[in-house]
Amino acid sequence: MLELQHVSYRVTDETKSGHGREIDILKDVNLTIDKRFVAITGPNGSGKSTLAKVIAGIIQPTEGRILLDGVDITDMSVTERARAGISFAFQQPVRFKGITVKDLISLAAGKKLSVSDACAYLSEVGLCAKEYINREVNASLSGGELKRIEIAMINARGTKFSVFDEPEAGIDLWSFQNLIEVFKKMYERNRGSILIISHQERILDIADEIVVIADGGVRAVGTKDEILPELLHASAGCRYTATPTDKKEG
C-alpha cells in the first residue's frame, strides 16, 4: 500500500529581472493506493506525470510524506525506492547504448536469466524474442519497441508497486487487449499494486479505482462506474464537475 500525505511539489520560475515566481505543480495531495489496478487520469498539465515521478523518487516533494507499507520513503532516493519495491516505466523509455535486451532484462530481474527466461518476458509483450534478445537498446529500436521492452523489464523485476506513465504510447500495432493481459499476468505473479497513468478509456475501464488529477490536486477518486460517466461527459466538451461520491483532496 502506498500513501501520500499532504504532498506538494513547487518550482520557481525565474523571470528576466531575476525574481522567482513560485508555481505549485502538486497541491496538498492526499491519496491511498492499495487496489490491484489504479488509474490516474486528467487533463494535460494537471500534474499526473509529476506525481508519478514523486512516487518513484525521481523528484522530491516540497512538502508532505510518502509511505510504502507504512514505511516513510519520502527521503529515499530513486535507487533506494527501487530496492524497497517500486518500479517506474517512463513515458519516453531510456536508451542504453552497448547493452543488449537480454542484459537489460537480466539487470531488471536482479539475476542472470537464461535465454529462454528472457525470451518469455519478451514474448509476453508481443515481441518476437529471437529477433530482439541480442539487440542493443539503442537508436535502432523504435519508441514502440522500447516501450514494450521496458514493460518486459518491469515484469521481470516483480516488485510490489509498479508505476506506468502512459504505457499505451507508441504501441499502436500491439492491441490494447494484449497490454491489459500483461498487466493481469503481472498482478497474478506479484500480487502488488499497479498504478497506470492514462487517458485511454479501455485502460481506465480495467481499473479497480480511478483517480482524477486536475490543477495539481486530486479532483475525484472512485470506481469506474462512478468516475467514467463524468469523464466521458467532460471529453464531449463539458467541464468536469465533482459528484457527491467524489473524495475531495485534503
Side-chain angles (χ1 to χ4, degrees), residues 7-184:
V7 169
S8 296
Y9 179 66
R10 188 176 300 112
V11 297
T12 302
D13 181 24
E14 295 292 341
T15 64
K16 291 182 179 179
S17 62
H19 297 292
R21 179 171 65 96
E22 290 192 336
I23 301 174
D24 291 317
I25 308 298
L26 296 176
K27 307 171 186 176
D28 194 32
V29 173
N30 291 281
L31 188 62
T32 298
I33 301 171
D34 59 358
K35 303 292 190 299
R36 179 183 57 162
F37 297 126
V38 177
I40 292 184
T41 193
N44 292 332
S46 59
K48 303 184 301 297
S49 291
T50 299
L51 181 60
K53 291 175 181 177
V54 165
I55 290 172
I58 296 170
I59 56 179
Q60 294 291 326
T62 307
E63 298 170 1
R65 297 199 309 157
I66 303 171
L67 285 75
L68 180 65
D69 292 336
V71 177
D72 192 333
I73 63 170
T74 311
D75 297 325
M76 286 186 181
S77 67
V78 61
T79 301
E80 291 170 328
R81 292 191 200 190
R83 289 172 180 161
I86 294 179
S87 292
F88 179 77
F90 289 88
Q91 187 174 351
Q92 298 294 330
V94 180
R95 300 175 189 271
F96 299 92
K97 187 177 180 180
I99 298 179
T100 67
V101 171
K102 179 179 179 296
D103 291 339
L104 200 59
I105 295 176
S106 292
L107 284 171
K111 60 184 178 181
K112 188 173 182 178
L113 295 177
S114 66
V115 171
S116 61
D117 287 340
C119 285
Y121 287 116
L122 291 174
S123 296
E124 283 190 18
V125 296
L127 294 176
C128 180
K130 65 180 181 180
E131 294 181 7
Y132 288 91
I133 195 71
N134 292 316
R135 288 183 64 178
E136 285 191 18
V137 187
N138 56 24
S140 69
L141 294 170
S142 69
E145 290 169 330
L146 284 169
K147 178 67 80 171
R148 296 195 210 185
I149 290 168
E150 185 178 52
I151 294 171
M153 287 172 54
I154 301 299
N155 209 358
R157 283 207 72 213
T159 49
K160 57 188 174 184
F161 195 91
S162 302
V163 183
F164 291 89
D165 192 354
E166 297 194 20
E168 72 278 5
I171 54 173
D172 299 340
L173 299 179
W174 187 41
S175 74
F176 270 85
Q177 190 56 44
N178 286 339
L179 178 61
I180 290 167
E181 286 303 316
V182 169
F183 290 140
K184 289 179 178 178

Side-chain angles (χ1 to χ4, degrees), residues 1-2 4 31-41 51-52 55 160-167 183 187 192-198 203-213 218 220-224 227:
M1 179 175 69
L2 188 86
L4 290 92
L31 188 62
T32 298
I33 301 171
D34 59 358
K35 303 292 190 299
R36 179 183 57 162
F37 297 126
V38 177
I40 292 184
T41 193
L51 181 60
I55 290 172
K160 57 188 174 184
F161 195 91
S162 302
V163 183
F164 291 89
D165 192 354
E166 297 194 20
F183 290 140
Y187 174 76
S193 293
I194 299 173
L195 178 65
I196 307 171
I197 295 174
S198 180
I203 287 183
L204 300 181
D205 194 54
I206 71 166
D208 298 307
E209 188 169 74
I210 297 175
V211 180
V212 180
I213 300 289
V218 176
V221 180
T223 66
K224 65 180 181 182
I227 302 297

